[in-house]
Amino acid sequence: MEINNKFVNVLLHIMFLALVAVFVFPILLVIIISFTDQGAINDFGYQIIPVKTSLDAYRYIFTSNMGVGHAYLVTICSTICGTVLSVIVMSLYAYPLSRPGLKGKGFFTFYIFFTMLFGGGLLAWYIVTTKFYHLGNTFFALILPLAMSPWYTIIMRTFFQTTIPISIIESAKMDGAGETRILFSLVLPLAKPAIATIALFQTLAYWNDWFNPMLLITDKNLYNLQFLLQVMMKNIQMMSDDECRCSVEIFRQYP
């Protein structure tokens, strides 16, 4: 029986190591290619061990006027500020909903649940965001639209209800602690697993966001990295289409 368990453990380790290799190898290959000389790529193709290394790609990116370095700075700042703000906002909304004595608890729960099922549409959202909140071409346009997630708020509320015992909260109230002190000194430290998980997903959401900048940002100084990459890809596609059209026209002129 012990030998079978060891065999299963070894087999599982081999399987997970193979999966790690499958997932990590493309990332390593992209990094290696970024340090490979362009001439070597043209002559020998993509190789794990480059024939000739070069930093021309990084030198071109960070010294050209494309603004990649500034876009990185905007992305990092918006990701950090947005993640912290979203965790605070969702915690402040989820904690009262987890308390049994909250007046209007059903209304506020239905209110946030309703937004998961129905929305006003993109046009209404854009008008409210730009005409009433005046978030167009501001740094807050990269933060506030993603600051509140109904789904993550409900998850956090459920975690508070099922994990934080009511007896601990009642004991803190008997000792003279207020609701704010209970939340920040007792509930949130015990809810670190849920907070860390939601913070991770929010970090990915802010880092990968390009849709909101596309709608709300026209100032190039506020472009984040993902939206800048989208602009670069569209420009490259337009150049390729123009070259194809020029080739077709030349071919038609000289039958």
Side-chain angles (χ1 to χ4, degrees):
M1 188 68 177
E2 184 177 355
I3 297 176
N4 292 334
N5 290 334
K6 290 182 178 180
F7 176 76
V8 172
N9 290 332
V10 171
L11 186 62
L12 290 175
H13 279 79
I14 294 174
M15 182 181 67
F16 282 113
L17 287 175
L19 288 175
V20 169
V22 170
F23 294 142
V24 173
F25 178 76
I27 301 175
L28 293 178
L29 183 61
V30 171
I31 296 174
I32 293 171
I33 293 171
S34 68
F35 288 99
T36 305
D37 183 72
Q38 182 64 38
I41 295 177
N42 295 334
D43 296 336
F44 304 100
Y46 301 131
Q47 293 182 336
I48 299 177
I49 301 177
V51 177
K52 183 179 179 181
T53 59
S54 175
L55 296 177
D56 291 341
Y58 292 97
R59 190 177 297 110
Y60 172 76
I61 289 175
F62 289 103
T63 58
S64 63
N65 57 357
M66 293 186 299
V68 176
H70 186 73
Y72 260 111
L73 179 62
V74 172
T75 303
I76 293 172
C77 293
S78 62
T79 299
I80 295 175
C81 297
T83 301
V84 174
L85 178 64
S86 62
V87 169
I88 293 175
V89 170
M90 287 186 284
S91 299
L92 292 177
Y93 197 97
Y95 173 67
L97 295 181
S98 66
R99 299 299 303 274
L102 175 67
K103 295 182 179 180
K105 178 180 177 180
F107 169 78
F108 290 108
T109 302
F110 176 77
Y111 178 78
I112 192 171
F113 178 73
F114 185 82
T115 60
M116 293 177 57
L117 304 178
F118 304 99
L122 182 61
L123 179 60
W125 176 86
Y126 180 80
I127 293 174
V128 171
T129 304
T130 56
K131 300 299 182 181
F132 293 93
Y133 294 154
H134 303 288
L135 294 181
N137 278 330
T138 63
F139 183 72
F140 295 102
L142 304 174
I143 298 176
L144 295 182
L146 299 177
M148 185 65 174
S149 172
W151 173 243
Y152 293 151
T153 304
I154 293 175
I155 291 177
M156 189 173 292
R157 181 212 62 177
T158 305
F159 186 88
F160 289 158
Q161 287 179 337
T162 58
T163 306
I164 310 299
I166 298 297
S167 57
I168 297 179
I169 298 177
E170 296 298 331
S171 299
K173 292 184 66 176
M174 292 177 62
D175 292 336
E179 295 293 343
T180 304
R181 180 68 181 275
I182 293 173
L183 174 62
F184 288 99
S185 299
L186 184 63
V187 176
L188 293 184
L190 294 176
K192 287 181 180 179
I195 294 174
T197 302
I198 293 175
L200 175 62
F201 284 112
Q202 286 295 101
T203 300
L204 294 176
Y206 277 106
W207 185 270
N208 295 323
D209 181 36
W210 60 269
F211 186 72
N212 290 324
M214 181 185 69
L215 296 177
L216 303 175
I217 301 297
T218 58
D219 186 1
K220 293 183 178 180
N221 293 324
L222 293 175
Y223 282 4
N224 64 357
L225 181 62
Q226 305 302 331
F227 182 58
L228 180 62
L229 294 177
Q230 290 287 333
V231 173
M232 293 170 59
M233 292 174 61
K234 289 182 179 179
N235 292 336
I236 294 173
Q237 184 65 37
M238 291 177 60
M239 293 172 59
S240 300
D241 294 340
D242 292 338
E243 291 178 358
C244 292
R245 283 194 292 266
C246 291
S247 300
V248 172
E249 292 297 329
I250 295 174
F251 182 77
R252 288 177 178 176
Q253 292 177 5
Y254 300 97

